[in-house]
């Protein structure tokens, strides 16, 4: 674990794996809830956690080196279900990469339970861990990926909340609204949320 100063009141904590980043994020949230830690923002990423609004960043950096970070605890809240039509244009390529047919790609993807490791790229976009098999990004990214596209890249799966460029493999579509300004909270998915995908019949 390495703590890097960011300005006068922030720290960027680097760890070795995504699992360690999730565990650190959970522990930081726990300590803030109990009053042991004061931080305005705690933002996880793939292998880092950013803490902003700290009163004494250097003192916290020293303390972090002695913390025992437990594994991510199980969460009791309900699983968010996202209904998916497995009709994506990259379904054949993913099937070929995995050595299975297209129906089996859908079965594998829908059989797993996922967890939002962190959010980013676009408002409402969650990087979900738990994908049983990895898949490479597309060699040539698309200039526009439709909103609601269910996609895979590396060890992650996710849903594009709005149309944007992207290089992930598109295996399906959903009508779920990932980001809605009128909703509280606006994001359907937050770090730590459990997610399952429910297959729908394609037309």
């Amino acid at each position: 674990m390495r703590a890097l100063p960011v300005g006068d009141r922030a720290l960027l904590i680097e760890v070795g794996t995504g699992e360690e980043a999730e565990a650190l994020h959970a522990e930081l949230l726990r300590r803030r809830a109990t009053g042991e830690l004061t931080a305005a923002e705690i933002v996880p990423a793939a292998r880092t956690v950013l803490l902003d609004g700290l009163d004494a960043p250097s003192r916290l950096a020293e303390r972090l080196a002695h913390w025992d970070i437990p594994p991510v605890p199980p969460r009791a809240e309900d699983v968010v279900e996202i209904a998916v039509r497995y009709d994506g244009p990259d379904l054949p390529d993913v099937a070929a990469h995995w050595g299975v047919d297209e129906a089996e790609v859908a079965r594998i993807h829908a059989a797993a339970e996922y967890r939002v490791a962190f959010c980013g790229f676009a408002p409402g976009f969650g990087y979900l861990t738990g994908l049983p098999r990895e898949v490479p990004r597309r060699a040539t990214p698309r200039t526009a990926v439709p909103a609601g596209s269910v996609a895979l890249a590396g060890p992650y799966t996710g849903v594009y909340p709005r149309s944007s460029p992207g290089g992930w493999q598109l295996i399906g579509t959903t009508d779920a609204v990932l980001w809605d300004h009128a909703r509280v909270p606006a994001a359907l998915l937050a770090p730590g949320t459990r997610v399952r995908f429910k297959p729908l019949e394609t037309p």
Side-chain angles (χ1 to χ4, degrees):
M1 185 188 305
R2 184 166 69 145
L4 304 173
V6 181
D8 297 328
R9 303 196 63 199
L11 282 177
L12 183 68
I13 313 301
E14 295 182 342
V15 293
T17 66
E19 290 78 11
E20 290 176 10
E22 288 186 62
L24 176 60
H25 179 241
E27 179 66 8
L28 291 167
L29 291 178
R30 186 192 70 78
R31 292 186 182 236
R32 183 171 69 175
T34 62
E36 298 175 59
L37 172 69
T38 301
E41 298 285 344
I42 302 175
V43 184
R47 290 181 177 83
T48 63
V49 180
L50 175 69
L51 294 94
D52 197 8
L54 300 171
D55 293 329
S58 59
R59 197 177 329 153
L60 177 59
E62 294 174 2
R63 289 166 47 206
L64 275 169
H66 304 287
W67 282 10
D68 180 24
I69 310 296
V72 177
R75 298 174 69 94
E77 75 269 14
D78 293 337
V79 176
V80 172
E81 281 197 351
I82 297 177
V84 179
R85 293 176 294 276
Y86 285 95
D87 57 0
D90 297 323
L91 200 57
D93 292 339
V94 174
H97 182 75
W98 286 354
V100 300
D101 61 25
E102 295 177 23
E104 183 66 3
V105 171
R107 190 201 67 76
I108 291 170
H109 185 257
E113 181 175 293
Y114 301 92
R115 181 186 180 91
V116 181
F118 58 97
C119 296
F121 166 64
F125 188 92
Y127 289 76
L128 278 61
T129 56
L131 187 65
R133 306 185 189 184
E134 294 195 12
V135 63
R137 294 171 60 93
R138 285 175 51 84
T140 303
R142 291 181 170 89
T143 56
V145 174
S149 294
V150 178
L152 313 176
Y156 301 112
T157 187
V159 181
Y160 283 77
R162 64 185 184 194
S163 178
S164 63
W168 289 33
Q169 305 279 1
L170 308 184
I171 63 167
T173 53
T174 180
D175 295 326
V177 178
L178 277 291
W179 181 266
D180 182 354
H181 288 287
R183 184 172 59 198
V184 179
L188 178 64
L189 306 178
T193 302
R194 297 159 57 207
V195 179
R196 293 195 75 102
F197 292 96
K198 179 181 178 182
L200 293 176
E201 292 294 329
T202 54

